Amino acid sequence: MDHMLVGVGVEITTDCNLRCLHCFARGGESPSSLPHDDVLDLFDQLSAMKPFTVEISGGEPLLRKDFSDLISYAVSERNLPIIVSTNGTLISKIVAEFLSKLQVETAVSLDGSRPEIHDSIRKGGAAFSRTIRGIKNLVQAGIRPSVRTLVTKHNLQDLDNIAVLCRELGVRDVLYMRFAPVGRGEDNAKLLEITREDYRQVFDLVSSMRNDPDKFGVVELDCATPFPGTYREINIPLINLKGCPACHTSFNVRATGEVEPCPALRGMIAGDTKNNTLDDIWQKGRIFKMLRKTKIDGCTDCKYFLRNCYGGCRGHAFQTTGDVRRKDDVCWYKINAK
């Protein structure tokens, strides 16, 4: 049985110019990169698999000296729908013009509306000002980037201000993302992770902001965010309306060449591109086949399970309990039921 492939992530390097508290790849600690020819081969394979998006990330992908060659090949030679995920600090006017010429979508990480918030999470010296400059360069070059904001204790009270700032900058949309205790995120989980009750605040806020697009622009929640079965009633479309997409509609390739269902499922390796093709791993990988058949303990009798969430984020369940079959403890239905 073929499985529809929607999105693929490719980490082309773990090198990074920042040391973000939450980084799942531990960017910059022990830099490694996929060899140039290996990346081109992955693009060849992905061209045949025809995913809807291919997200190039790291680390910081712009640190690669061959970045422009790789992106040019992916877009011009293989017609891949590339999204470049970046911290934005290295987006000069020249880089912005290059991305604009190829019509490459760009996602920029911004975790605060002020330097003291953003820079407290994304360590690296004046990261905020450099990221804002990068966003402005993209907009001036004709690219309206997406902004991705990781919701943590540091910025929980700043989410609306981030949306207002992004609207003023000309950003296309803001995607609020859930923290995962992976990599450096595991080291800093107590500093970063918000509570189950905090997620209700996030939903109420996003619902309110969506009613005022002139002020806040387009705001969304990512596929890992816990959500109520009644989310349609509060006008919040999620990126994936059928729960966790890991191994069902997406996978991730690490800078080592290893393939995993999702960066939040670090340690669950489905295969290695040195020994198998991407399509073989996608269709036949043991981990993928297991996850596709997994029954979630304590969730299957819930009225929202099949309609909406499928047990929530598998990565969060795995990282917090060690068992991918456990339900996501941050359950909105639990909150509503209190």
Side-chain angles (χ1 to χ4, degrees):
M1 175 184 175
D2 287 345
H3 296 272
M4 183 177 70
L5 183 59
V6 175
V8 176
V10 181
E11 300 169 22
I12 60 174
T13 184
T14 61
D15 196 6
C16 193
N17 59 331
L18 301 182
R19 298 294 183 272
C20 303
L21 296 180
H22 59 271
C23 182
F24 57 78
R26 294 188 178 274
E29 290 184 17
S30 300
S32 63
S33 298
L34 278 169
H36 179 91
D37 288 346
D38 288 5
V39 178
L40 297 185
D41 181 61
L42 290 180
F43 289 159
D44 291 343
Q45 295 182 55
L46 288 171
S47 178
M49 296 174 74
K50 300 187 184 306
F52 288 94
T53 62
V54 178
E55 183 162 331
I56 305 301
S57 67
E60 173 49 54
L62 284 167
L63 281 174
R64 283 193 61 142
K65 294 179 180 179
D66 60 353
F67 172 80
S68 59
D69 292 337
L70 294 175
I71 301 303
S72 294
Y73 181 84
V75 175
S76 301
E77 300 296 327
R78 288 294 172 252
N79 197 32
L80 288 171
I82 296 294
I83 300 173
V84 173
S85 179
T86 170
N87 62 40
T89 62
L90 301 178
I91 300 178
S92 63
K93 290 184 178 180
I94 293 175
V95 171
E97 289 291 344
F98 164 75
L99 294 172
S100 178
K101 183 178 180 180
L102 290 178
Q103 297 183 321
V104 173
E105 289 191 38
T106 309
V108 180
S109 299
L110 182 66
D111 290 333
S113 67
R114 305 188 304 278
E116 57 267 31
I117 300 176
H118 180 83
D119 293 349
S120 70
I121 303 169
R122 296 187 174 269
K123 307 289 187 177
F128 178 81
S129 62
R130 290 184 288 155
T131 296
I132 295 300
R133 182 183 61 200
I135 292 173
K136 289 180 177 179
N137 287 339
L138 288 169
V139 173
Q140 289 172 3
I143 295 177
R144 295 186 65 200
S146 294
V147 155
R148 295 183 178 174
T149 297
L150 189 75
V151 180
T152 67
K153 291 178 180 177
H154 290 246
N155 60 17
L156 182 60
Q157 305 305 322
D158 193 42
L159 302 181
D160 54 345
N161 297 324
I162 293 171
V164 170
L165 172 61
C166 288
R167 175 70 167 165
E168 293 171 351
L169 290 171
V171 164
R172 186 181 68 184
D173 56 62
V174 178
L175 178 67
Y176 296 112
M177 304 183 71
R178 183 180 180 184
F179 167 79
V182 181
R184 277 201 293 270
E186 183 179 12
D187 301 340
N188 298 298
K190 291 183 179 179
L191 293 174
L192 299 174
E193 190 157 23
I194 66 175
T195 67
R196 193 168 65 182
E197 286 70 24
D198 288 333
Y199 278 109
R200 166 170 277 179
Q201 175 184 331
V202 174
F203 262 88
D204 289 345
L205 177 64
V206 173
S207 179
S208 175
M209 287 194 292
R210 288 187 64 83
N211 289 326
D212 193 355
D214 290 337
K215 180 178 180 180
F216 298 107
V218 178
V219 290
E220 298 178 341
L221 296 167
D222 80 333
C223 61
T225 305
F227 56 94
T230 55
Y231 70 88
R232 290 187 179 88
E233 299 172 14
I234 58 174
N235 192 30
I236 303 180
L238 301 185
I239 294 302
N240 187 292
L241 299 183
K242 280 292 185 181
C244 180
C247 85
H248 296 286
T249 59
S250 66
F251 65 84
N252 186 64
V253 183
R254 299 177 63 173
T256 58
E258 294 171 311
V259 178
E260 60 194 1
C262 169
L265 282 165
R266 232 41 170 194
M268 295 194 73
I269 305 303
D272 193 311
T273 56
K274 297 184 178 81
N275 302 311
N276 303 97
T277 67
L278 286 177
D279 190 61
D280 277 347
I281 296 171
W282 174 242
Q283 301 294 346
K284 304 173 185 177
R286 184 183 64 82
I287 293 294
F288 284 177
K289 292 171 72 174
M290 181 271 290
L291 284 173
R292 287 165 183 155
K293 297 177 180 178
T294 294
K295 294 183 179 180
I296 310 302
D297 294 343
C299 284
T300 52
D301 59 345
C302 173
K303 63 181 179 179
Y304 295 125
F305 177 74
L306 287 178
R307 274 201 303 169
N308 301 109
C309 81
Y310 289 157
C313 175
R314 295 297 85 222
H316 197 274
F318 178 66
Q319 298 300 336
T320 55
T321 70
D323 188 346
V324 75
R325 297 167 299 180
R326 297 288 295 276
K327 60 185 175 183
D328 187 342
D329 187 57
V330 183
C331 174
W332 239 87
Y333 184 55
K334 281 185 181 179
I335 299 173
N336 288 342
K338 285 185 177 180

